[in-house]
Amino acid sequence: MRNFYLLIAFSLISILSLGQGTTGFSGTGANIDVDNYQIYWRINPDSALGIKGTVKIKFKTTVASVNSITFDLRKKVTSPTASGFTINSIIWNGAALTTTPQPNASNIVSVPVNIPVQGTRDSLIISYSGIPPLRAGQAAGYNLGNDPSVTLADSSSQTSGKTGYPVSAGSGNMVNTLSESYEDRDWWPCKADMQDKADTIDITVNVPYRTNNATVASATDTFWVASNGTLIDSTIDLSGTQAQRNRTFKYINRYPMTSYLVCVGVARYTRYYRGTINIGGNNVPVVYYLYPGKSDYTGILSAMDKATEALTLFSNKFGNYGFTDPTKGGKHGFYEGLSPGGGMEHQTFSAIGTESLTNVSILIHELMHQWFGDKVSFSTWNDLWLAEGFAEYAPSLAAETITGTGYTAYNFLNNIKSNALAEQAPARIPASGIVSSNTIWSGGNTSTGYGSSVYNRGAMVLSMLRRLSGDKKYFNILKDYQTAATLQYKSATTDTLKKRFADTLGLNLDKFFFENVDSSGYPDYNIGYQYYGPGNKSLALRVISQTRTLSGAAPDVTVAKYFNNPVVIHVKGASAGNDTTIVFYDRGTISGTSVMSKAGNGVDPTSANTLYYNLSFAPNSIVFDDSARTMSTGAMSVQTALDLKILDFNVKQHSAYNETSLTLDDNSINSSVILERSANGNNFEDIGTMLLQANTSILKKYLYNDTKPFDTDNYYRAKYKNTEGIYLYSKIVKIRSVKSTSFSIVNNPVQDILQIRTADAVGKDILFTIYDAAGRQIKSNEIKKAAAMTEISVVGLHSGLYIVKITIANEELQNLKFLIN
């Protein structure tokens, strides 16, 4: 995440790759698929501001006849302040190029090669040196703790400001990196493309081995390197003079990673090894690196340990943490970096600003990025919300289960909602918003300020999807999103996420995503309600009106004309425990009338504009979304003219027919009641008119016997037109017909055990009655919740012919003959 000094200091996102060989924003590397980076850097925070090193890029060509390979690196700027890089050499095929190409005005380097065959594996070795641009505020790329204020004067037109942060006394000088969004090219040569993750990355960093202003090095007071993955070596070289002594740190990463997640921090770190945490059978090392010189580390370690608890929680909900194997670079931890606050979700090792080290919500935010952003990334910066939205929602989710976070789930989510309602920009960034890092991370509450909308509006979209899906489907969908072979360690788009929810829920979510992800504004509802029925224990709801509250729109974003959103209603009774939450889906309008369905139920869009609920208590209060779970506002108003019609719909199974019954209230209707039937639950056809029975109360009951049900599944629903001429539908009831071929004897003739196939009545209570050939009842057995095969003892019965009668729910279904030898 980025640092938002005037808004919220919550962390930013990561990116991964879905399609290999694709091009990033700059268009580099379109003809190659990066396999591996082998990186060597020399960094000395006590000396010059620069960095030098070599980067070996191993790749595979994705097209034939490759004559040029491009990659990203910041162009050298010579005045008034020198920054950027000089490429000292490029080696290809074991020899240095005779002419060394340099970055052009677009910060792209083109290397001439000649690789004729598609699929050829090859490599380049780039040797470079220079000074990364000292970026201020939200565009920080390479921070130097010994140079706290530098005026930037290069072609990127950034502002001046503090690039280092004065930490506690005794911490000494330090260096840390930040690559999001286009700043990876500001300090190392790479293919800056989130859709082409390097399969593996090896990082080697050489630093001085001496203390600050000291002549003798101490192993506990020298520079240490923080980076991604597993530290496999930290060799000390004591040859030469004291000034020449150095130490080399080697990290391995065997999990795919995108270039902007690569990180380096160099400081005199105090290191805390917090043991391991078991995830999926792997013992994941837990490590924290902090600057020295603090008077008390207790609060910091406590906050980080509290956030680490979420590692197990999120693994259970979204699939295992993606970087668990230490032999492949797996670890979890935080290191002090950035300035002054916020955090950045570097893969396996998130950087946390000094001011945020005890902020549990920020730590949890960065941790969630290891799933949404690092393990599964977004394909382009347009879809940044796929990482930041999840990460912003994470602290509220964690607080539902984890105690001691310092905040409540409701308060955290309510704050997000308040911020989301004030946003004028959409969650998904349009093309005009990803021109540069400045346009991506510009402040919120403006029509072109995406730096907070991706967080707040994105988080509320995810909260609404949870209400629409229900918890079980919601977390199953996201676990599949995280663990699917086509997505894990790759990248996704908004359409990827939308399709997974739409397919599982059976809903067309195009409008929901357009209105809430690609548009601005939010709906304000007037919900009509009425209590009715015996004891007023039934509730009817209808959308009376929806007002669109629009705060503005980005230049190339269309404003939503109607929001297709889940609506959350909270109902309470007089006694403790009389409490329920109702969620329905407002699916737009037909002829000006709102179309509603119960959340997750993909019913016919021409169904009821009123929903009915039977409660177990008499309600005495009803409020609109009092837990801030949707990006909507609204009020409840008592209505006396709602269509209170459908109270109940049931189907009872008999041996030769299915009996259907519909119960309505006593209000008049404008049409006959029609029974519909379907073989698949989607395509219904009329099969007859239901008959009104004699009134014995204020209710009306309609019946219809289906004497020719399908042999397999039967789906039933009833419909009629209300006083407005709109069809109202009952719920759908599924029945499986039990025909004469449903049961059969497996072993005939029988000896001691009669075996009967009962697969078509699994879970039902079945009565088996055995008669002899003369019609005399011999024995009777009732089997509760029958399995697919039922066994009945016939030990003691004489040889001869017998009949077993099968009865379910007092209905005789079948008689089978069997012979005992």
Side-chain angles (χ1 to χ4, degrees), residues 739-815:
K739 293 297 186 180
S740 59
T741 57
S742 296
F743 303 96
S744 61
I745 294 175
V746 177
N747 57 335
N748 203 357
V750 179
Q751 292 184 354
D752 295 332
I753 300 297
L754 172 62
Q755 295 179 323
I756 302 176
R757 188 186 70 84
T758 51
D760 290 332
V762 170
K764 296 183 179 181
D765 297 340
I766 307 177
L767 178 64
F768 298 92
T769 307
I770 298 176
Y771 299 87
D772 64 14
R776 294 181 298 244
Q777 180 175 326
I778 303 301
K779 65 182 300 183
S780 180
N781 277 19
E782 184 177 18
I783 304 298
K784 297 289 187 181
K785 300 186 182 305
M789 180 75 69
T790 299
E791 294 186 345
I792 300 172
S793 174
V794 294
V795 175
L797 297 187
H798 300 292
S799 299
L801 183 66
Y802 291 87
I803 297 172
V804 57
K805 182 172 74 173
I806 301 172
T807 303
I808 297 178
N810 296 322
E811 292 293 327
E812 180 182 337
L813 300 178
Q814 198 167 345
N815 295 325

Side-chain angles (χ1 to χ4, degrees), residues 35 181 192 270 303 313 440 442 639 661 728 816:
D35 291 328
S181 50
T270 301
L313 173 66
I440 291 175
S442 57
Q639 298 290 309
S661 63
L728 301 185
L816 300 174

Side-chain angles (χ1 to χ4, degrees), residues 457-729:
R457 197 171 179 93
M460 290 310 300
V461 168
L462 298 170
S463 178
M464 290 191 291
L465 285 171
R466 184 178 176 186
R467 308 314 150 194
L468 186 61
S469 308
D471 278 9
K472 182 176 181 180
K473 288 183 179 179
Y474 180 78
F475 291 113
N476 283 344
I477 291 168
L478 293 179
K479 182 176 288 188
D480 180 63
Y481 175 87
Q482 278 288 321
T483 59
T486 55
L487 286 174
Q488 65 174 341
Y489 307 111
K490 299 179 175 67
S491 64
T493 66
T494 295
D495 284 342
T496 309
L497 185 71
K498 177 177 69 175
K499 187 176 188 305
R500 290 188 173 267
F501 274 95
D503 288 350
T504 299
L505 301 180
L507 291 172
N508 185 328
L509 295 177
D510 289 348
K511 290 183 178 180
F512 172 85
F513 272 80
F514 169 75
E515 292 144 4
N516 293 290
V517 177
D518 291 311
S519 302
S520 60
Y522 61 92
D524 184 70
Y525 280 100
N526 178 16
I527 306 295
Y529 73 95
Q530 186 173 343
Y531 306 134
Y532 66 98
N536 276 340
K537 291 185 178 180
S538 295
L539 172 66
L541 297 172
R542 176 189 289 180
V543 174
I544 303 302
S545 65
Q546 183 199 101
T547 302
R548 270 70 68 200
T549 302
L550 305 173
S551 304
D556 50 357
V557 172
T558 303
V559 174
K561 295 181 179 179
Y562 193 95
F563 285 88
N564 289 244
N565 277 13
V567 176
V568 178
I569 306 297
H570 195 190
V571 185
K572 293 183 179 180
S575 302
N578 289 343
D579 187 305
T580 190
T581 298
I582 292 173
V583 183
F584 67 83
Y585 186 30
D586 178 8
R587 304 175 61 184
T589 62
I590 295 179
S591 301
T593 301
S594 177
V595 178
M596 304 155 62
S597 65
K598 294 181 180 179
N601 181 12
V603 299
D604 189 318
T606 61
S607 67
N609 65 338
T610 304
L611 294 179
Y612 308 92
Y613 298 86
N614 294 323
L615 307 175
S616 61
F617 58 89
N620 66 356
S621 71
I622 182 169
V623 294
F624 182 93
D625 192 14
D626 62 339
S627 291
R629 290 169 287 196
T630 65
M631 196 164 56
S632 308
T633 58
M636 309 300 299
S637 59
V638 178
Q639 298 290 309
T640 58
L642 296 180
D643 286 307
L644 307 180
K645 298 292 192 300
I646 300 176
L647 305 181
D648 196 16
F649 178 65
N650 283 301
V651 182
K652 184 178 181 181
Q653 192 175 43
H654 297 269
S655 59
Y657 63 94
N658 291 331
E659 175 188 322
T660 66
S661 63
L662 176 72
T663 305
L664 307 179
D665 74 343
D666 199 30
N667 292 344
S668 62
I669 60 177
N670 283 352
S671 71
S672 301
V673 178
I674 306 299
L675 182 69
E676 293 188 331
R677 183 181 64 195
S678 168
N680 56 18
N682 294 315
N683 303 314
F684 284 87
E685 61 179 7
D686 297 353
I687 62 171
T689 300
M690 302 188 72
L691 300 179
L692 176 63
Q693 306 302 294
N695 284 342
T696 57
S697 67
I698 63 172
L699 305 179
K700 292 180 179 179
K701 188 172 184 179
Y702 295 80
L703 296 178
Y704 185 92
N705 293 332
D706 181 11
T707 58
K708 297 181 180 180
F710 297 126
D711 289 343
T712 54
D713 293 343
N714 290 269
Y715 296 82
Y716 295 99
R717 72 182 182 187
K719 70 176 182 180
Y720 64 90
K721 286 184 179 179
N722 67 4
T723 54
E724 298 173 356
I726 298 174
Y727 269 118
L728 301 185
Y729 289 79

Side-chain angles (χ1 to χ4, degrees), residues 21-286:
T22 56
T23 61
F25 176 80
S26 65
T28 57
N31 51 10
I32 64 170
D33 169 17
V34 176
D35 291 328
N36 168 262
Y37 290 109
Q38 292 182 5
I39 303 169
Y40 171 86
W41 286 308
R42 167 66 181 182
I43 299 174
N44 182 0
D46 287 342
S47 182
L49 304 183
I51 182 175
K52 64 180 179 179
T54 61
V55 176
K56 183 176 184 179
I57 305 176
K58 293 183 176 182
F59 58 85
K60 179 178 69 175
T61 58
T62 58
V63 297
S65 302
V66 173
N67 53 33
S68 177
I69 294 174
T70 56
F71 58 88
D72 301 272
L73 184 65
R74 168 66 64 174
K75 180 183 179 182
K76 180 78 171 180
V77 178
T78 57
S79 63
T81 301
S83 66
F85 291 97
T86 297
I87 298 179
N88 303 314
S89 68
I90 297 180
I91 296 174
W92 176 60
N93 274 348
L97 301 180
T98 55
T99 301
T100 304
Q102 302 296 324
N104 61 23
S106 299
N107 303 307
I108 295 174
V109 181
S110 297
V111 182
V113 295
N114 180 18
I115 308 175
V117 180
Q118 178 181 347
T120 299
R121 295 193 180 276
D122 210 326
S123 65
L124 296 170
I125 301 176
I126 301 111
S127 175
Y128 75 110
S129 59
I131 300 175
L134 298 171
R135 296 183 175 276
Q138 298 173 7
Y142 189 81
N143 293 335
L144 278 295
N146 58 354
D147 192 3
S149 184
V150 176
T151 299
L152 180 71
D154 66 10
S155 59
S156 59
S157 300
Q158 304 291 330
T159 59
S160 63
K162 186 177 293 185
T163 58
Y165 186 73
V167 297
S168 304
S171 65
N173 297 325
M174 74 286 188
V175 163
N176 59 71
T177 62
L178 176 61
S179 298
E180 194 177 26
S181 50
Y182 300 125
E183 278 67 69
D184 40 9
R185 67 187 181 188
D186 281 4
W187 60 282
W188 71 288
C190 59
K191 176 183 175 181
D193 175 13
M194 298 170 294
Q195 297 178 56
D196 184 8
K197 292 182 179 180
D199 297 326
T200 61
I201 300 180
D202 298 280
I203 298 172
T204 300
V205 184
N206 180 267
V207 297
Y209 184 72
R210 59 182 181 274
T211 59
N212 193 26
N213 299 321
T215 58
V216 179
S218 167
T220 60
D221 188 24
T222 56
F223 284 122
W224 197 271
V225 173
S227 191
N228 316 87
T230 298
L231 178 63
I232 61 170
D233 194 11
S234 58
T235 301
I236 299 171
D237 182 359
L238 298 178
S239 62
T241 66
Q242 195 276 338
Q244 295 173 325
R245 295 174 181 176
N246 62 85
R247 190 170 195 170
T248 302
F249 294 80
K250 295 182 179 180
Y251 284 87
I252 61 167
N253 295 272
R254 299 296 177 260
Y255 293 100
M257 178 164 47
T258 187
S259 59
Y260 91 93
L261 292 174
V262 173
C263 68
V264 171
V266 180
R268 292 173 171 84
Y269 285 114
T270 301
R271 303 175 302 282
Y272 295 88
Y273 301 95
R274 308 296 276 183
T276 62
I277 185 169
N278 190 277
I279 302 293
N282 283 320
N283 292 320
V284 184
V286 179

Side-chain angles (χ1 to χ4, degrees), residues 282-343:
N282 283 320
N283 292 320
V284 184
V286 179
V287 185
Y288 310 144
Y289 289 1
L290 300 172
Y291 294 152
K294 304 181 192 300
S295 60
D296 185 11
Y297 290 86
T298 303
I300 297 173
L301 298 177
S302 177
M304 289 183 171
D305 285 345
K306 180 58 62 176
T308 296
E309 290 183 32
L311 199 71
T312 300
L313 173 66
F314 294 160
S315 290
N316 291 336
K317 289 189 177 297
F318 305 115
N320 286 337
Y321 176 66
F323 316 102
T324 60
D325 187 347
T327 66
K328 297 173 62 177
K331 75 174 180 225
H332 155 69
F334 304 103
Y335 71 93
E336 189 171 358
L338 308 182
S339 56

